[in-house]
Amino acid sequence: MAFSKEQIEELNVLLQFNQSSSMKGIKVHKSARPEMIGAIQRLFDKGMLTQVDGGYLTDLGQKATDHTQALLTMLMPSRQLAS
């Protein structure tokens, strides 16, 4: 099983949230790429975002963001981790 293009787009959206503050959200404008708008909609439908156009992370969204960031860190080449 592999990540779908849609799931990868969702992961990229989750990485845009500031992990150090739950008080910082994002807003996706109508002029954004259709793939991003779709990813935001799916994350909202899954209960990870508070608003259909972004908003803030829910508790589930925060967990997903934490795991996404951890996975990204684990997948980085070792030379990038050292810097």
Side-chain angles (χ1 to χ4, degrees), residues 10-51:
E10 291 169 21
L11 293 170
N12 285 328
V13 167
L14 290 171
L15 289 172
Q16 293 185 31
F17 283 89
N18 184 336
Q19 283 189 289
S20 64
S21 173
S22 63
M23 300 307 290
K24 293 184 181 177
I26 64 171
K27 170 131 174 107
V28 177
H29 297 277
K30 295 175 188 173
S31 61
R33 291 180 304 107
E35 297 85 5
M36 178 177 240
I37 293 170
I40 292 285
Q41 177 70 54
R42 289 188 301 277
L43 291 170
F44 173 76
D45 293 343
K46 293 174 184 176
M48 294 187 196
L49 302 179
T50 60
Q51 301 291 320

Side-chain angles (χ1 to χ4, degrees), residues 72-73 75-83:
L72 181 64
T73 300
L75 294 175
M76 282 184 179
S78 58
R79 65 182 175 278
Q80 284 184 332
L81 291 175
S83 52

